[in-house]
Amino acid sequence: MENLTAGQKLDRAFDALGEQHSLTFELDLDTDAATLQALDTEAQPEDRMPDEVAELFSGARVSVSVESKKPLNDSGDKDFSAMAVKLSGPKGDLFEYRLIGDDAYVRADVAAFGQLAGSPMPSADELPPAAGAFKKVLAGKWIKLSAEDLRKTSEQMARDQAAGNGKKPSPAPTLDAQAQKKLMNGLRGVIAKEVRFTTADGTDGTEHVKATAPFRTLLAGLIDEIRPLAGQLPDGGKLPTADDLKDAPNKKVTADFTLKNGALRDVSVDLAPLAEKAKGKKFALVLRTVKGARPTAPAGATEVRMDELMEGFFGGLMGGSFGADELSDEDAG
């Protein structure tokens, strides 16, 4: 039997995931609302985390599924045939997006988001006929859009935003294959240098590989490897500088990888050392792999065009009775 190190076992587990044509995983926080609110005690009363938001984050779960014509390691944007993203809260699903071939499907609990934001939304019945298909969105129903139409609208919005900021629109930067390989080798080098791996047997034939590293040291090393390639990465804000990181805690953080028959089952990252106010309480970020959750097209979706949806939004919320009431309130003030 081959004798593998802990690091090699993790490499093989991740390589095996990359050889698959489909993958589903779930991400959530293993904590409670009281622990989250304890992290915010130094904030001004009006800025502290509301009960509803704390309950949402403590009970929220993000599910992601992808399916590709090629192994995931070799897949580009055009190779993915299906994708699904779902955000769930303690009281049910809040948002879901599915991409099946050339069609995109979306639904959302708009009322719940409005309550969390402190801005209640009108019900579908309160909107005028001009709202059209947007009523379906407010009612939490599935709508179906052309994926190409959605992509073009997103690109146009990005161009409009760039023009509004006085910038010249340009294609989104991408990393070529050589740059990707160089980056991955650099990141692996930092991990090999800074991370300490240990193994232990678990229950039900599982094995635990624990990776422990000082948080600030590891983060700084990883960012230093990314920095030379920052210009080739999609826009997402500037990378933090050494000065930005100097106040970050440098306590050791442990990620616990659970393997079964060599395959990755879940990962739990213990964040409690980074949050002194959560001392003695459970505070972890957990990722689980899930089998058999293939993205499919939902039944009963209403097919709409993006321009039709935008017209309904402006005609219903901005030009309807709801918008008029808000405008009259502002004029009165």
Side-chain angles (χ1 to χ4, degrees):
M1 185 175 180
E2 190 175 5
N3 188 19
L4 300 175
T5 66
Q8 288 171 331
K9 290 177 181 180
L10 278 187
D11 281 343
R12 289 200 174 185
F14 280 105
D15 287 342
L17 286 180
E19 292 167 3
Q20 297 181 20
H21 287 250
S22 62
L23 175 66
T24 297
F25 62 87
E26 296 177 346
L27 185 68
D28 61 53
L29 280 174
D30 187 6
T31 188
D32 55 35
T35 299
L36 290 177
Q37 288 179 307
L39 304 178
D40 208 22
T41 53
E42 292 183 1
Q44 295 297 319
E46 64 273 14
D47 296 327
R48 288 177 187 167
M49 187 180 296
D51 292 345
E52 297 84 359
V53 175
E55 289 174 7
L56 169 63
F57 280 113
S58 64
R61 174 172 294 180
V62 178
S63 302
V64 179
S65 299
V66 292
E67 188 172 272
S68 175
K69 303 168 189 173
K70 297 180 180 180
L72 295 175
N73 273 341
D74 304 323
S75 297
D77 290 344
K78 295 181 179 179
D79 298 315
F80 290 102
S81 56
M83 183 181 302
V85 179
K86 180 168 67 174
L87 171 62
S88 303
K91 297 181 181 178
D93 297 339
L94 292 170
F95 173 81
E96 191 165 0
Y97 169 84
R98 298 184 195 177
L99 179 65
I100 312 294
D102 297 327
D103 299 315
Y105 300 85
V106 183
R107 70 170 174 177
D109 188 340
V110 179
F113 279 115
Q115 289 175 356
L116 288 170
S119 301
M121 297 292 288
S123 68
D125 294 338
E126 293 178 84
L127 294 187
F134 188 68
K135 287 189 175 186
K136 295 283 185 180
V137 177
L138 283 181
K141 304 295 184 181
W142 280 106
I143 60 169
K144 176 182 176 181
L145 300 157
S146 160
E148 179 68 9
D149 192 14
L150 188 60
R151 182 187 64 79
K152 288 181 178 179
T153 301
S154 298
E155 290 176 351
Q156 183 60 52
M157 291 174 67
R159 285 193 293 268
D160 292 343
Q161 183 177 8
N165 294 333
K167 297 180 180 179
K168 185 178 180 181
S170 59
T174 57
L175 281 177
D176 57 37
Q178 185 177 358
Q180 289 181 37
K181 186 175 181 180
K182 181 180 178 182
L183 176 59
M184 290 308 299
N185 287 338
L187 296 179
R188 286 190 175 191
V190 173
I191 291 171
K193 178 183 177 183
E194 303 295 348
V195 179
R196 178 176 175 267
F197 295 97
T198 58
T199 60
D201 291 332
T203 58
D204 301 325
T206 62
E207 183 178 19
H208 290 269
V209 176
K210 293 189 177 183
T212 303
F215 177 74
R216 185 176 65 242
T217 302
L218 178 61
L219 184 60
L222 295 175
I223 290 174
D224 284 345
E225 291 295 330
I226 298 171
R227 201 178 305 283
L229 301 171
Q232 299 177 54
L233 297 174
D235 291 337
K238 293 182 179 179
L239 292 173
T241 65
D243 284 343
D244 294 331
L245 295 175
K246 67 182 181 181
D247 293 329
N250 206 33
K251 294 184 178 180
K252 291 183 178 180
V253 173
T254 297
D256 186 348
F257 298 82
T258 303
L259 308 181
K260 187 161 188 178
N261 299 323
L264 181 67
R265 197 169 74 175
D266 61 58
V267 186
S268 177
V269 183
D270 183 12
L271 301 174
L274 303 181
E276 294 181 354
K277 297 186 181 69
K279 189 175 181 180
K281 297 186 178 180
K282 188 179 289 186
F283 186 38
L285 183 66
V286 181
L287 182 148
R288 303 176 184 86
T289 58
V290 181
K291 293 183 178 180
R294 185 172 181 265
T296 57
T302 300
E303 187 168 2
V304 298
R305 301 186 314 273
M306 276 301 298
D307 58 348
E308 186 180 9
L309 196 60
M310 296 304 290
E311 286 173 7
F313 171 76
F314 287 107
L317 281 186
M318 308 304 290
S321 58
F322 184 75
D325 289 344
E326 293 231 319
L327 286 174
S328 63
D329 289 344
E330 290 175 5
D331 292 340

